[in-house]
Amino acid sequence: GYTADVPRMRQICQEVKSCLPATITVVGGYHATLCPHDFNSDYIDVIVVGEGEITFPELVSALEEKRDLSAVDGIIYRRQGKQVTSRVRKQMPNLDDLPLPARHLAEHYRPQYHWLYWDEHAPIETSRGCPFRCTFCAVWVFHRGKYRFKAPESVVKEVKAANSPAICFVDDNFLEDVERAERIYQLIKDSGIRAKYWMQVRTDTIAKHPRLVEQWAEIGLDIVCIGFETWNDEVLASYNKRVSVSTNEEAARILRDNGVDI
């Protein structure tokens, strides 16, 4: 969960423990990784730190086989009422090695999930991290200062597999690698996929590459989540955002001219 989810995460774990004390409760995500003290409670057994694709299955196996949890890298677990940290888990070296999400397992619940005004959508992650160092942001800290990508072909394979009328690219900076973004656009266009797209972007990329917005709008770019932060250049500089108010205004103009909601 994210920071806004922390009270509910704690509540769920506490409720489960009160009903089924033997149940192992596990939390993870940005907040739990960076602020584990907020989950330092006897009703929370394990925190999965950072990426969980390898850690979580290893944790389940260790619990099933009743092995010592110290052997599982990338977790914080409780021992004698205190939090104990295992070895740091190495990051995934190649995101293309990750399996596609098993979306069919959640198909039954799909009508209950909504995003903005979309009833049916598929979140897709195509990269992790960010090359920028904005002072207010936890993304680059969580990903240890690294920025990793999936290949365009892998991205389009997942878009096809999602088979959804609305695709949400949940990367924190989807257009940062312009050549890659252009390649994904071209592959989607050539494949004939028809969908609406949502993405998170930076204003400087848009201002420098208006043609990229035109291309994506052509194949269905509908909404962008974009950080303007402030109307004051000095404050932007203090955030280490590395953009200006005029850049933000130019990006807004380009998006409006292409019919993309902000």
Side-chain angles (χ1 to χ4, degrees), residues 30-243:
Y30 275 79
H31 195 104
T33 294
L34 301 177
C35 303
H37 53 273
D38 287 341
F39 297 93
N40 188 8
S41 302
D42 57 7
Y43 50 81
I44 296 172
D45 295 306
V46 183
I47 298 172
V48 171
V49 177
E51 298 173 337
E53 286 91 352
I54 306 300
T55 304
F56 190 69
E58 286 189 8
L59 171 63
V60 172
S61 295
L63 291 169
E64 286 180 334
E65 298 165 9
K66 294 181 170 51
R67 290 186 279 112
D68 193 318
L69 295 187
S70 62
V72 181
D73 293 349
I75 63 171
I76 299 173
Y77 60 100
R78 294 191 73 75
R79 176 183 287 168
Q80 296 179 346
K82 295 183 179 181
Q83 289 184 326
V84 179
T85 303
S86 70
R87 292 184 300 270
V88 175
R89 166 80 58 183
K90 293 181 179 179
Q91 291 176 310
M92 293 289 299
N94 186 354
L95 298 185
D96 291 323
D97 292 338
L98 292 170
L100 290 177
R103 298 183 189 275
H104 65 282
L105 297 177
E107 191 65 29
H108 177 71
Y109 304 99
R110 191 166 182 171
Q112 301 177 41
Y113 288 90
H114 306 277
W115 179 252
L116 300 176
Y117 47 77
W118 292 342
D119 291 333
E120 293 188 57
H121 69 284
I124 293 179
E125 179 194 62
T126 81
S127 67
R128 292 181 179 176
C130 181
F132 293 89
R133 298 292 181 265
C134 302
T135 58
F136 55 80
C137 186
V139 169
W140 60 273
V141 183
F142 181 90
H143 291 286
R144 307 177 200 172
K146 296 181 180 176
Y147 195 25
R148 293 163 293 159
F149 298 93
K150 290 181 181 178
E153 291 75 15
S154 296
V155 174
V156 177
K157 179 181 179 181
E158 184 168 351
V159 171
K160 288 181 179 178
N163 191 29
S164 174
I167 301 293
C168 300
F169 291 118
V170 298
D171 311 38
D172 294 280
N173 197 353
F174 181 77
L175 298 179
E176 178 58 27
D177 187 326
V178 173
E179 290 186 8
R180 173 178 173 273
E182 289 179 334
R183 176 63 176 160
I184 296 171
Y185 148 78
Q186 193 63 55
L187 289 172
I188 289 177
K189 181 179 179 180
D190 292 346
S191 69
I193 297 171
R194 300 185 66 84
K196 292 182 178 180
Y197 298 96
W198 177 97
M199 61 180 64
Q200 299 181 86
V201 296
R202 277 179 58 97
T203 59
D204 49 355
T205 305
I206 293 173
K208 292 175 184 176
H209 305 279
R211 174 61 180 154
L212 189 58
V213 176
E214 294 175 15
Q215 290 173 322
W216 272 93
E218 173 191 338
I219 61 170
L221 179 59
D222 190 50
I223 307 174
V224 299
C225 178
I226 195 165
F228 292 135
E229 282 81 37
T230 177
W231 64 91
N232 184 298
D233 279 325
E234 291 183 4
V235 178
L236 278 175
S238 74
Y239 292 161
N240 196 32
K241 189 66 193 282
R242 294 168 59 182
V243 298

